[in-house]
Amino acid sequence: MPDKIDISKNIKEQISQNHIKMRSKWFFIVEKLGLESGFLFSLLLGLAILCFVLYIMEQNGAFEFTEFGVQGWPVIFDNIPYDLVVAAIVLFALANYIIKQFDFSYRKPFYLFSCSALILISAVGIIMFWTGVNHLMMEKLASAPIVKNIASKKITNSPQGEKAIIGRIVKVGSGVVTLQTVDGKQLGIVINQKIERPLDVRFIPGQVIKIIGSKEGEKFKAKFISIIQSNNRFIKIVPIISPVPNASTSN
Amino acid sequence: MDIQKIPDEELVERARHDNQEAFSEIVKRYQNKIYSYASRLVGNRDEAEDLTQEVFIKVYKNLYGFDIKRKFSSWIYRIAHNESVNHIKKRSYFKILSIEQNEFLKNTMSSTENLIEEIIQKESSEKIRKLLDKISFKYKEVLVLRYFEEKSYEEMSDILRIPTNTVGTLINRAKGQLEQIVKKEGLKISNF
């Protein structure tokens, strides 16, 4: 078996007979532009979807229940729009796949750069969320045609699931408080001495409260209750029954 | 200027403008290197010759895809590597050894430093090829690039598209696995 070969004549012949053709430089320019656009589009759309996820959870009151600590986590998990989160993850995976097609992606500074970029984006995202900038941006986005359709299905202004409720007190009875929810329904909330609630607080009609508990038939058994403060947006969202009936303030 | 003294990257630039002589020079410079590299990876010289031809066809087609600022040598070896890997996958050729990673890392001795050099100096090509066939493909390719093609870590990083640190790690592991095989089979280097 030869240690050396000579294929130069063969290759030359194939080229001169047009059996092999050089790709135009435009092919590579378009390919590069396509990859860059694909990467940016995937990354930005993924980020936008994540911001939208936070907006939906905020609108549905999921973050209201962080006050309850570990007890509030099931409520938060129930309110995550998982289909949108999966969509964001798929887009990030696509962006990751695309970036690996570039020559610089395996070089050491790239890893450092991408980790730093990830930390920076996360930090900016958190700041945007806590300052309310995310809310303002998403409100505008939610009015865009395609997004509006998704938003109308996902945003109910009410916690999803059967573990949590936000509502306005309509009537206070002995061991039971009647609550008016966002969708206009009335629900009896069973309150007993075992629940956690702020000390020296009395429930009065008109207050908006948030409750963690469980639904039992037509009633809701409360485990944790907290009063929503007057500057909270749910004060405006939860309807007021007019006129508010005179009721006992005892609990 | 004598065409043999023109750098690879300049030859590529000329070949892009239909300079047949420039491309022929590229083929002449690299055909045996690529053939030698491919034959060590796939273990068959006939197949390696076909692969070498495929590599140059791909090089010609994608001349405009090469970044002139980078090293041509790394680029063509990258293409050769990809073609070899694809060929091997199609053939389901390479064997994956069952040696536990912990085992050969634990047993890697500092004395493996000269093992590869000793094998290259003392043994015939055929014996070296047989020995290389016994180790995992990912270790085989780094050993071939480092000790037979004499590529630097940076060049290997460009060819294999892995960080330079990973190249070093793979070489160390490859040496360890090679020594495991030599010990496991009770071989003396001059006898196998």
Side-chain angles (χ1 to χ4, degrees):
Chain A
M1 291 289 172
D3 283 338
K4 292 191 177 186
I5 57 170
D6 187 1
I7 57 169
S8 54
K9 277 183 190 168
N10 193 346
I11 298 288
K12 201 172 179 178
E13 218 174 88
Q14 289 196 52
I15 294 170
S16 58
Q17 288 173 5
N18 271 332
H19 291 155
I20 47 173
K21 285 181 185 172
M22 202 186 303
R23 285 184 177 137
S24 153
K25 66 178 178 182
W26 295 109
F27 174 88
F28 299 98
I29 291 170
V30 168
E31 184 188 48
K32 191 179 173 194
L33 281 173
L35 284 175
E36 286 168 355
S37 310
F39 169 71
L40 277 172
F41 175 77
S42 306
L43 186 67
L44 292 175
L45 186 60
L47 284 170
I49 288 175
L50 274 187
C51 289
F52 192 53
V53 163
L54 290 175
Y55 176 71
I56 289 169
M57 290 175 69
E58 184 195 23
Q59 291 295 102
N60 288 342
F63 296 124
E64 296 293 327
F65 293 87
T66 53
E67 179 188 333
F68 297 108
V70 174
Q71 308 301 330
W73 290 358
V75 179
I76 293 166
F77 289 132
D78 277 348
N79 278 273
I80 295 174
Y82 288 102
D83 51 351
L84 291 179
V85 172
V86 167
I89 291 171
V90 166
L91 285 165
F92 288 139
L94 179 63
N96 181 56
Y97 171 77
I98 293 173
I99 200 77
K100 284 191 171 168
Q101 307 311 307
F102 290 93
D103 278 340
F104 54 75
S105 64
Y106 58 88
R107 291 178 178 263
K108 193 173 178 180
F110 176 75
Y111 285 123
L112 295 172
F113 170 76
S114 56
C115 287
S116 307
L118 208 63
I119 291 167
L120 184 67
I121 289 169
S122 303
V124 167
I126 289 168
I127 291 168
M128 276 173 63
F129 179 73
W130 287 115
T131 56
V133 171
N134 182 62
H135 178 90
L136 289 169
M137 279 171 54
M138 290 299 119
E139 256 189 346
K140 288 202 181 233
L141 184 69
S143 59
I146 299 169
V147 183
K148 200 173 180 180
N149 189 28
I150 299 170
S152 66
K153 290 172 190 166
K154 299 279 182 194
I155 296 173
T156 59
N157 288 311
S158 174
Q160 313 289 339
E162 295 191 343
K163 296 186 186 104
I165 292 176
I166 293 176
R168 190 182 296 277
I169 297 175
V170 171
K171 184 177 162 186
V172 179
S174 174
V176 176
V177 166
T178 305
L179 211 64
Q180 172 90 19
T181 58
V182 171
D183 51 5
K185 292 179 185 166
Q186 289 196 6
L187 189 64
I189 310 295
V190 177
I191 295 174
N192 57 41
Q193 295 304 313
K194 289 180 185 174
I195 61 156
E196 280 190 28
R197 67 181 183 203
L199 294 171
D200 297 329
V201 169
R202 289 185 173 187
F203 296 119
I204 53 174
Q207 278 177 335
V208 178
I209 59 174
K210 49 190 171 184
I211 306 164
I212 289 179
S214 54
K215 205 166 179 195
E216 289 181 3
E218 293 298 316
K219 288 195 167 37
F220 192 90
K221 201 171 177 184
K223 280 186 190 170
F224 302 92
I225 298 180
S226 180
I227 296 172
I228 288 182
Q229 300 306 318
S230 56
N231 58 354
N232 189 295
R233 66 183 192 89
F234 276 97
I235 299 293
K236 293 178 191 170
I237 289 173
V238 183
I240 297 171
I241 291 201
S242 178
V244 174
N246 290 328
S248 156
T249 56
S250 65
N251 53 359
Chain B
M1 190 183 183
D2 183 5
I3 197 168
Q4 289 172 0
K5 291 180 183 173
I6 297 173
D8 294 340
E9 292 72 27
E10 199 179 314
L11 285 174
V12 168
E13 188 58 41
R14 293 186 186 192
R16 282 174 178 176
H17 297 94
D18 288 327
N19 187 326
Q20 296 287 327
E21 202 189 338
F23 191 72
S24 293
E25 178 60 23
I26 290 172
V27 174
K28 281 176 191 164
R29 284 185 192 181
Y30 282 94
Q31 59 185 349
N32 287 307
K33 290 179 186 177
I34 298 300
Y35 171 66
S36 162
Y37 176 58
S39 65
R40 288 199 175 96
L41 287 186
V42 305
N44 181 298
R45 293 189 184 193
D46 285 336
E47 288 171 9
E49 190 171 341
D50 290 339
L51 269 175
T52 305
Q53 191 144 270
E54 285 303 314
V55 167
F56 282 102
I57 289 171
K58 263 206 167 158
V59 165
Y60 183 76
K61 279 184 178 173
N62 295 293
L63 276 176
Y64 274 106
F66 169 64
D67 183 355
I68 297 283
K69 288 171 245 166
R70 309 293 288 269
K71 216 173 166 190
F72 177 77
S73 163
S74 301
W75 186 66
I76 194 171
Y77 267 88
R78 173 76 193 154
I79 292 172
H81 168 264
N82 287 346
E83 288 298 305
S84 301
V85 167
N86 290 341
H87 179 82
I88 288 168
K89 277 180 183 171
K90 279 182 200 169
R91 223 178 36 181
S92 300
Y93 180 83
F94 61 87
K95 300 156 206 155
I96 299 167
L97 293 179
S98 60
I99 292 176
E100 288 292 331
Q101 185 164 320
N102 287 339
E103 190 186 327
F104 70 75
L105 277 178
K106 214 191 305 173
N107 294 330
T108 299
M109 289 161 51
S110 57
S111 63
T112 57
E113 287 301 314
N114 295 323
L115 176 66
I116 310 293
E117 287 83 355
E118 199 177 336
I119 290 171
I120 292 171
Q121 279 167 19
K122 291 186 178 175
E123 303 306 323
S124 68
S125 303
E126 193 55 29
K127 283 181 180 173
I128 293 169
R129 189 185 62 77
K130 280 183 183 171
L131 185 61
L132 287 176
D133 281 349
K134 290 178 188 293
I135 64 173
S136 301
F137 182 78
K138 66 176 178 178
Y139 299 134
K140 179 175 161 180
E141 59 183 0
V142 294
L143 288 181
V144 167
L145 282 170
R146 180 73 180 148
Y147 294 102
F148 294 96
E149 306 302 320
E150 295 178 333
K151 295 296 176 189
S152 66
Y153 277 32
E154 203 176 291
E155 285 172 312
M156 288 171 68
S157 168
D158 286 337
I159 292 166
L160 300 173
R161 289 172 70 94
I162 53 177
T164 319
N165 289 348
T166 309
V167 169
T169 304
L170 285 174
I171 288 176
N172 285 334
R173 289 180 183 177
K175 286 179 182 176
Q177 198 173 90
L178 197 61
E179 209 208 11
Q180 282 284 338
I181 294 164
V182 170
K183 276 170 140 183
K184 197 175 181 182
E185 301 199 359
L187 298 171
K188 287 185 184 175
I189 293 168
S190 56
N191 283 347
F192 75 91

